Amino acid sequence: EPLARLAGPQTIVISIAAGRTLQSFERFLAPGTAVIRAMPNTPAQVGRGMTACVANAATSAVQRALATELLSAVGEVVWVETEGDIDAVTAVSGSGPAYVFLLAECLAEAGRRAGLPPETAAKLARATVAGAGELLFRSDLDAATLRQNVTSPGGTTAAALGVLMGEPGLQALLTEAVEAAVRRSRELSR
């Protein structure tokens, strides 16, 4: 409310506040004020972020383009159709870096338990996650194809993937995790 007086007819309000709906801003702003809800993620710190946006009805195509240009300074920008989509965005790309960092933690710990010195295991895990992420980013191939390219039939990777893709499996765990994050995002916006 105290900031409402700073928004004029040409102002574009861009919010990165989790759980704050477009409507919550519109209540305090002059009618017709352009409001954009954006969900960036922490890789924005290194120019590799992913930001998803949704705009209110008052936001013009020119204003959307200006917001895209501004937010592109820290990575890629996508627009979603409905504000409800932001809850899923929050769960996938907003929270997603934490899932990747947890993967690196777990991989390092597994390496330590397999007999590697902790520093070596941590370095291997960090470089592997970063390198695989960069390969995925640069490649025209989808993640499934890249995974298959690493996997020799009957080899060590296939043995490990048998565990990760078995029951309950990584897919089931990530789906459950994303669903929990979506629920919490919806709770925060009430």
Side-chain angles (χ1 to χ4, degrees), residues 25-98:
F25 288 97
E26 290 170 336
R27 278 198 306 267
F28 298 105
L29 300 169
T33 301
V35 182
I36 296 170
R37 187 171 170 197
M39 175 51 62
N41 63 10
T42 57
Q45 296 174 50
V46 294
R48 292 291 301 279
M50 184 75 238
T51 303
C53 302
V54 64
N56 70 352
T59 306
S60 70
V62 170
Q63 290 169 319
R64 285 169 67 116
L66 183 59
T68 298
E69 185 178 345
L70 172 70
L71 295 167
S72 291
V74 295
E76 294 185 52
V77 176
V78 297
W79 288 85
V80 296
E81 293 300 314
T82 69
E83 189 166 19
D85 293 338
I86 291 292
D87 296 321
V89 166
T90 299
V92 173
S93 68
S95 299

Side-chain angles (χ1 to χ4, degrees), residues 44-170:
Q45 296 174 50
V46 294
R48 292 291 301 279
M50 184 75 238
T51 303
C53 302
V54 64
N56 70 352
T59 306
S60 70
V62 170
Q63 290 169 319
R64 285 169 67 116
L66 183 59
T68 298
E69 185 178 345
L70 172 70
L71 295 167
S72 291
V74 295
E76 294 185 52
V77 176
V78 297
W79 288 85
V80 296
E81 293 300 314
T82 69
E83 189 166 19
D85 293 338
I86 291 292
D87 296 321
V89 166
T90 299
V92 173
S93 68
S95 299
Y99 314 153
V100 174
F101 301 146
L102 177 60
L103 172 66
E105 285 179 67
C106 292
L107 189 56
E109 177 58 18
R112 187 195 64 74
R113 289 183 185 195
L116 292 172
E119 305 80 30
T120 302
K123 184 173 186 171
L124 289 170
R126 177 184 290 254
T128 299
V129 169
E134 188 65 22
L135 177 59
L136 179 61
F137 180 77
R138 291 185 188 197
S139 179
D140 291 332
L141 300 174
D142 62 20
T145 301
L146 291 169
R147 173 184 47 80
Q148 291 163 0
N149 289 348
V150 178
T151 310
S152 302
T156 58
T157 305
L161 289 175
V163 174
L164 293 173
M165 297 172 83
E167 292 296 326
L170 185 58

